[in-house]
């Protein structure tokens, strides 16, 4: 295993500064529910009808190769105030962010069109199924985004949210025989049971670690058990669709304390080496537990950070704060996005006997320096004070994303795959 390059080393050494306050769970905002229907995305997106599954290509079309198009008519796909499940960590508008253009971008692949997101269709695909997002707080944001994309079409009384650490579970149910509360809903679904769940499972390293408690994270003394996964994986058994992600927690230092075998035998590992071993453990679980005919697995590539403005604005010395426009350079790549770590994911998936689809969202998200929560977020469950806000160099969070925002696009792409993998008749 190669040691990290010098630039990787420099980047890695800067992560701790942010990680100390990044990964805390926000308390759910209690917002009155408001059933605005998800906006239509314009009628011109022709369905991807001739799809075949080939790694991360759908019928020769690389969904991850494209451009951001300003489309305020169809974006955002839901309003911040209309989704009661968003947490304070991501509601940038409510938290005082003055600009909102970051909500108005639509991702357009060069070679094809993304299918129009249809929440009702997705619920139909998910009927009787469990969709689980597994990973860290980035995954939690993607899970929240998915819940918000889908929840407005489910009538009141037929949806619920349960928090059962390390899990959060959103359910669309119809066990109670309610009166016809929503006529369009009834017309589309008849009286059938819905019974779909969209779940989040906290496992920031995927394998076991001493950061598995959903609140008590040992940032300074982190310890990863590279060959242990069963404490988590027993909760994943039988889940129909799983989306994994793990990156930023590894990037605290170029080395990490970890164990293999005896817990008394703690050793320092090169992060890339440790990541590879952890993914092997994961891969073994996948191969011996997944039925590829009934279950579908995705792995999300790393979510980029925008911690150093000199990367896109030469000579500056700030971060993502006050950025309100995407990066235009089509080859932009931030130094925080380790190609070594991405290569390990690629190689692990290639060696698997079971097809796992890579959601290669890194490049498209690289452009979105404007999409982060910046100072319009919380720290340890508390909204930043105005004093903290006026010091963005210390307090801006350039790792997490606002919602509505970039993670909605990740889910639109996931939706394209699900539509393809679970065709409706
Ligand atoms: C499928 O779509 C591709 C473009 O993405 C096109 O080149 C090809 O001809 C299409 N195949 C069929 C059978 O329609
Ligand atoms: C994975 O998907 C490809 C493309 O659809 C298919 O050709 C291949 O047989 C699949 N492999 C397995 C092990 O299912
Ligand atoms: C609901 O879905 C779960 C899986 O998510 C399944 O175990 C259960 O049997 C389903 N219940 C009904 C009534 O269909
Ligand atoms: C690993 O643990 C030892 C003992 O607690 C500690 O001295 C060392 O700094 C740790 N290394 C890292 C990379 O955290
Ligand atoms: C944000 O950027 C704009 C220019 O794009 C500038 O006029 C404004 O002063 C900046 N605000 C802060 C607080 O730095
Ligand atoms: C993911 O996307 C990046 C940039 O678009 C590309 O360089 C890389 O090869 C892709 N990875 C895989 C495994 O397809």
């Amino acid at each position: 295993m190669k040691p990290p390059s010098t630039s990787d080393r420099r980047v890695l050494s800067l992560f701790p500064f942010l990680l100390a306050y990044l990964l805390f769970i926000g308390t759910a905002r209690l917002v009155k529910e408001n059933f605005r229907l998800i906006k239509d995305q314009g009628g011109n997106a022709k369905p991807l009808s001739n799809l075949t599954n080939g790694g991360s290509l759908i019928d020769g079309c690389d969904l991850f190769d494209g451009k951001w198009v300003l489309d305020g008519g169809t974006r955002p796909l839901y309003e911040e105030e209309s989704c009661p499940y968003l947490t304070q960590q991501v509601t940038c508008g409510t938290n005082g962010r003055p600009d909102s253009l970051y909500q108005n971008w639509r991702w357009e692949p060069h070679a094809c069109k993304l299918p129009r997101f249809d929440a009702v269709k997705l619920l139909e695909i998910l009927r009787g199924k469990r969709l689980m997002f597994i990973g860290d707080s980035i995954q939690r944001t993607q899970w929240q985004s998915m819940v918000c994309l889908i929840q407005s079409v489910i009538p009141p009384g037929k949806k619920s949210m349960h928090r059962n650490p390390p899990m959060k579970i959103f359910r669309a149910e119809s066990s109670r025989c309610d009166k016809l509360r929503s006529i369009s809903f009834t017309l589309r679904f008849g009286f059938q049971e819905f019974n779909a769940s969209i779940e989040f499972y906290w496992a920031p390293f995927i394998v076991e670690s001493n950061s598995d408690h959903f609140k008590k994270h040992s940032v300074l003394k982190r310890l990863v058990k590279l060959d242990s996964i069963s404490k988590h994986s027993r909760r994943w058994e039988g889940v129909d669709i799983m989306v994994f992600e793990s990156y930023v927690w590894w990037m605290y230092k170029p080395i990490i304390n970890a164990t293999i075998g005896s817990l008394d035998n703690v050793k320092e590992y090169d992060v890339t080496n440790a990541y590879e071993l952890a993914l092997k453990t994961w891969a073994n679980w996948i191969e011996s537990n997944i039925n590829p005919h009934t279950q579908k697995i995705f792995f999300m590539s790393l979510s980029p950070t925008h911690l150093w403005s000199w990367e896109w604005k030469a000579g500056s010395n700030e971060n993502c704060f006050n950025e309100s426009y995407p990066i235009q350079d089509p080859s932009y790549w931030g130094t925080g996005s380790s190609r070594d770590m991405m290569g390990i994911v690629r190689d692990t998936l290639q060696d698997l006997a079971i097809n796992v689809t890579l959601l290669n969202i890194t490049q498209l998200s690289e452009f979105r320096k404007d999409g982060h929560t910046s100072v319009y977020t919380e720290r340890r469950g508390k909204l930043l004070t105005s004093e903290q806000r006026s010091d963005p160099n210390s307090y801006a969070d350039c790792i997490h994303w606002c919602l509505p925002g970039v993670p909605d696009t990740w889910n639109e792409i996931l939706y394209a795959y699900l539509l393809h993998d679970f065709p409706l008749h």
Side-chain angles (χ1 to χ4, degrees), residues 220-410:
L220 297 173
K221 293 184 176 167
R222 58 187 48 171
L223 180 64
V224 183
K225 302 176 194 167
L226 297 175
D227 58 346
S228 304
I229 200 169
S230 61
K231 195 179 82 190
H232 298 317
S233 60
R234 64 191 174 83
R235 312 280 294 274
W236 309 336
E237 273 164 25
V239 173
D240 303 277
I241 303 159
M242 285 179 253
V243 186
F244 290 90
E245 177 268 346
S246 177
Y247 175 67
V248 78
W249 281 70
W250 296 91
M251 306 302 278
Y252 178 54
K253 286 181 182 169
I255 48 172
I256 192 163
N257 273 329
T259 60
I260 294 179
S262 166
L263 295 184
D264 298 328
N265 190 12
V266 177
K267 279 198 214 143
E268 288 186 337
Y269 287 76
D270 205 41
V271 157
T272 45
N273 201 359
Y275 192 60
E276 188 175 30
L277 291 166
L279 289 190
K280 274 218 170 79
T281 301
W282 168 81
N284 285 339
W285 180 80
I286 294 283
E287 285 185 340
S288 46
N289 287 275
I290 295 303
N291 176 352
H293 301 296
T294 58
Q295 290 166 290
K296 180 76 199 152
I297 315 297
F298 296 88
F299 199 103
M300 214 173 74
S301 66
L302 67 92
S303 166
T305 58
H306 294 88
L307 307 176
W308 309 286
S309 62
W310 49 260
E311 294 193 297
W312 59 85
K313 198 163 39 186
S316 62
N317 188 22
E318 285 155 24
N319 53 41
C320 69
F321 170 69
N322 203 21
E323 291 292 350
S324 54
Y325 212 80
I327 290 168
Q328 300 298 301
D329 171 7
S331 61
Y332 176 81
W333 186 268
T335 49
S337 303
S338 163
R339 292 193 191 272
D340 288 348
M341 297 287 269
M342 280 188 80
I344 290 165
V345 172
R346 182 197 55 223
D347 294 348
T348 304
L349 299 195
Q350 269 169 7
D351 291 346
L352 267 176
I354 285 172
N355 276 336
V356 171
T357 302
L358 179 70
L359 297 174
N360 194 3
I361 54 85
T362 306
Q363 178 71 71
L364 69 90
S365 311
E366 285 284 3
F367 302 130
R368 296 302 308 277
K369 63 177 167 45
D370 58 320
H372 293 284
T373 53
S374 178
V375 295
Y376 309 104
T377 186
E378 62 183 16
R379 181 181 176 167
R380 304 187 186 213
K382 290 208 178 77
L383 213 55
L384 294 191
T385 63
S386 51
E387 202 173 292
Q388 291 169 328
R389 258 182 217 180
S390 62
D391 181 10
N393 277 351
S394 310
Y395 288 95
D397 178 342
C398 299
I399 296 182
H400 292 104
W401 305 93
C402 300
L403 287 183
V406 173
D408 300 326
T409 294
W410 305 343

Side-chain angles (χ1 to χ4, degrees), residues 1 3 83 121 132 142 170 206 247 282 327 348 363 402:
M1 186 58 48
C83 183
K121 237 183 219 170
M132 190 187 273
Q142 195 181 357
F170 174 81
I206 298 182
Y247 175 67
W282 168 81
I327 290 168
T348 304
Q363 178 71 71
C402 300

Side-chain angles (χ1 to χ4, degrees), residues 198-215:
I198 303 176
E199 312 177 15
F200 168 69
Y201 187 100
W202 172 259
F205 291 97
I206 298 182
V207 294
E208 294 171 26
S209 75
N210 67 348
S211 301
D212 289 343
H213 189 277
F214 72 111
K215 273 209 173 114

